Amino acid sequence: MSSPAFDRLLLTLSDIYMAEGREAAVRTARALTTTPARTAFAPQRPCALDTMMRALLADAAHPAAEAILAAQDLIPWGTNPVADRMSESAAAICAVTTLMGPEGPIPAPDLRLGLFYQRPNAYYALHNHDADETYVILAGGAIWTAGDDTRHRGPGDYIHHPSLMPHAFRTGGEGLLALWRWSGDVNTHSYAFLPDAAA
C-alpha cells in the first residue's frame, strides 16, 4: 500500500525533472510516477542528521521541501549507493538516500536518484564518477565546484556534471539538501575522491 505523503513526494520530484528538460530527466520524471516500487516505503528510524534536516526543510521555500518534510519518516536515509567508497569523515558530514536505481526501491537499470543532505560548515571533497549527474538544490546552499566553475548555489539551481567532471561542495551555516540523479553509466565502482588542495 502506498502512502499519500510519499506519492506526493514522488510527484513533486517528477515535476522538478520535467522542468529540467534533459532527456534523462524526462525519463526519470516518467519512471517516478509510473514504475511500481519493489517494496512499500515504510516508517524508518531517524538518521543521525534528522533534526538538522528537518530544521533546514522547515525554513525552506522550495516546493519540494514541504513534500520531503511530510514524507521524512518514510525516506530510507542511509541507502547511499557509494557508501563503501567513502571515508569515515566524508560519511559523517552527510546523509544520502537512494529512491531509484538498479538496486533501488524504484527499479531503473540506467538511472539512480535520491536525496543528499550535507551538514552546515562542512566540505565534501573533490570527486568524480562515470555517470552524468544533475543536482537540484532544494534547501540551503553551498559553494559549489563543478570543473573550473566555483560559485554559490542555492534553492532552485540545477548543476549538471558530465561524466568524470570533478566536483565538490562546501556548505555554510545552514547546510544543504539537494536532489541528485545519475544517468548513463551508473556503476558505483568508478566513484573516486581526487587530489584536492581545498580539503
Side-chain angles (χ1 to χ4, degrees), residues 88-144:
E88 194 173 311
S89 59
I93 66 165
C94 65
V96 180
T97 183
T98 302
L99 302 176
M100 177 186 286
E103 315 83 18
I106 300 171
D110 61 346
L111 296 167
R112 291 184 190 272
L113 79 86
L115 298 168
F116 173 85
Y117 171 78
Q118 185 169 311
R119 68 184 335 152
N121 303 309
Y123 182 63
Y124 196 99
L126 202 64
H127 60 286
N128 70 1
H129 38 71
D130 288 343
D132 280 14
E133 180 176 51
T134 299
Y135 274 90
V136 184
I137 310 300
L138 305 177
I143 302 298
W144 204 281

Side-chain angles (χ1 to χ4, degrees), residues 142-197:
I143 302 298
W144 204 281
T145 297
D148 295 330
D149 179 30
T150 299
R151 59 185 143 137
H152 185 268
R153 303 295 194 139
D157 286 345
Y158 287 75
I159 307 112
H160 182 69
H161 309 134
S163 175
L164 299 176
M165 175 183 275
H167 49 286
F169 7 97
R170 184 180 302 278
T171 51
E174 57 185 354
L176 164 76
L177 200 142
L179 175 62
W180 60 271
R181 182 192 73 251
W182 282 12
S183 59
D185 185 349
V186 298
N187 78 77
T188 57
H189 64 265
S190 66
Y191 191 98
F193 285 94
L194 305 171
D196 187 353

